[in-house]
Amino acid sequence: MLGFAGSLRSGSYNKALLRAAVNLLPEDVTLEIFDIDGIPLFNQDVEANIPPKVKEFKSKIREASAILIATPEYNYSVPGVLKNAIDWASRPYGDNPFDGKPVAIISASIGMLGGARAQYHLRQMFVFLNMYPVNGPEVIVPFAQNKFDASGSLVDENTKKFLTQLLQNLVHWTGRLSGKSHR
Ligand SMILES: Cc1cc2nc3c(=O)[nH]c(=O)nc-3n(C[C@H](O)[C@H](O)[C@H](O)COP(=O)(O)O)c2cc1C
């Protein structure tokens, strides 16, 4: 599966959450992390001439069995960098690599709602992208500054438990959508 975070900063809690996910995956499942840093601002004038970084992003999405998005909440929604990356990947019209993919969302925030509102804005995008989100558990990490150690490792046991469960559910969901499992 492929994961990406809606934050560019090196000390991002959401990037740290993605790194934690790598270690909590079910056996035989791998998670590749893609850094959206370097994706230029979308301009429809140049969408036919896709920038190399976007090309790479689109092909990673296409190859992935499932998608995991870790997002901060900015002004009660998703950060512009994340929306921009998703917009680029979805273009040109008719060439949307997200089409039909299973997806899960995780979010971390220093605030008390943990990015919940951004998660619901992402879910709205999944309708037009035709993605199939896992509904639970909702991994929402409030007060993120207390959940990671100084090196960015996730140390909160409850968050680890819910994240592990979500990843298991994403793998099962992926199996169901591909017709390989009836669970
Ligand atoms: C422009 C901006 C807007 C923000 N708006 C919100 C918000 O609406 N809700 C929230 O919980 N946190 C908000 N925050 C705080 C973020 O949760 C915090 O910066 C978080 O660490 C960002 O995620 P990151 O650590 O992955 O970069 C905002 C931060 C910025 C820079």
Side-chain angles (χ1 to χ4, degrees):
M1 54 177 84
L2 183 75
F4 51 93
S7 174
L8 305 185
R9 72 185 191 98
S10 50
S12 159
Y13 295 120
N14 287 281
K15 283 184 175 175
L17 201 53
L18 268 187
R19 290 195 301 271
V22 171
N23 298 317
L24 298 172
L25 289 167
E27 258 177 58
D28 303 331
V29 180
T30 55
L31 172 65
E32 183 182 351
I33 296 176
F34 186 87
D35 194 337
I36 63 170
D37 197 6
I39 293 182
L41 285 178
F42 179 75
N43 178 343
Q44 206 175 355
D45 285 343
V46 297
E47 75 172 339
N49 193 7
I50 297 182
K53 181 87 189 195
V54 176
K55 247 186 206 158
E56 189 192 351
F57 187 38
K58 291 188 70 159
S59 80
K60 298 272 183 199
I61 295 164
R62 218 178 292 282
E63 288 161 17
S65 56
I67 305 292
L68 179 65
I69 302 177
T71 187
E73 180 175 288
Y74 279 7
N75 296 307
Y76 284 18
S77 186
V78 297
V81 290
L82 178 61
K83 181 67 164 63
N84 182 66
I86 291 172
D87 288 346
W88 253 126
S90 70
R91 298 298 296 184
Y93 181 73
D95 186 29
N96 165 25
F98 290 121
D99 188 16
K101 298 272 179 194
V103 59
I105 313 168
I106 53 183
S107 64
S109 160
I110 56 174
M112 65 187 283
L113 291 186
R117 290 163 292 220
Q119 291 212 9
Y120 280 90
H121 279 189
L122 256 183
R123 282 179 182 269
Q124 182 172 326
M125 290 174 217
F126 296 156
V127 177
F128 190 70
L129 294 169
N130 194 36
M131 301 182 83
Y132 297 109
V134 175
N135 284 329
E138 291 182 300
V139 176
I140 290 169
V141 185
F143 307 121
Q145 64 277 24
N146 303 329
K147 311 280 168 69
F148 297 88
D149 68 14
S151 67
S153 292
L154 180 63
V155 290
D156 184 71
E157 289 307 320
N158 251 336
T159 305
K160 279 189 197 172
K161 193 178 83 188
F162 286 121
L163 182 51
T164 302
Q165 186 63 59
L166 178 70
L167 293 167
Q168 278 173 16
N169 291 359
L170 178 59
V171 171
H172 288 148
W173 185 222
T174 303
R176 286 180 65 176
L177 287 175
S178 69
K180 286 184 194 140
S181 154
H182 298 287
R183 282 197 59 194

